[in-house]
Amino acid sequence: GLVVRGFYRGGLAVDSGLEAGDVIIKVHGTTVKSDEEFKSVERTLTIGDKVEVEFVRGNQRNTVKVRVGEAP
């Protein structure tokens, strides 16, 4: 998975429920294990889409919906 290291100030993920240290394991139903896999999924998304992001925090799996925004 991908470790969340932080957020862009004012970015859409800030209010998503994700926190620094969370490990993202799925985006939009697709397992992501590397930056390349994440970017591959990201290219299929449209700004404004709401996508499910599955992640691990500690020993718990969680899912949140994140609205896709424009990269700064």
Side-chain angles (χ1 to χ4, degrees):
L2 301 173
V3 177
V4 176
R5 295 177 190 246
F7 302 96
Y8 293 110
R9 186 186 327 257
L12 298 174
V14 170
D15 297 324
S16 68
L18 288 168
E19 297 178 1
D22 290 343
V23 179
I24 296 173
I25 55 176
K26 274 189 182 180
V27 177
H28 201 50
T30 302
T31 300
V32 291
K33 297 178 185 173
S34 66
D35 286 339
E36 293 80 23
E37 288 177 343
F38 179 82
K39 288 177 183 180
S40 178
V41 173
E42 187 179 45
R43 284 190 288 272
T44 70
L45 304 175
T46 303
I47 293 172
D49 286 351
K50 273 202 142 184
V51 298
E52 283 193 355
V53 175
E54 189 174 336
F55 65 98
V56 176
R57 179 181 298 151
N59 293 325
Q60 291 225 264
R61 288 184 122 159
N62 302 286
T63 303
V64 293
K65 289 208 175 207
V66 177
R67 191 162 47 96
V68 176
E70 213 170 320

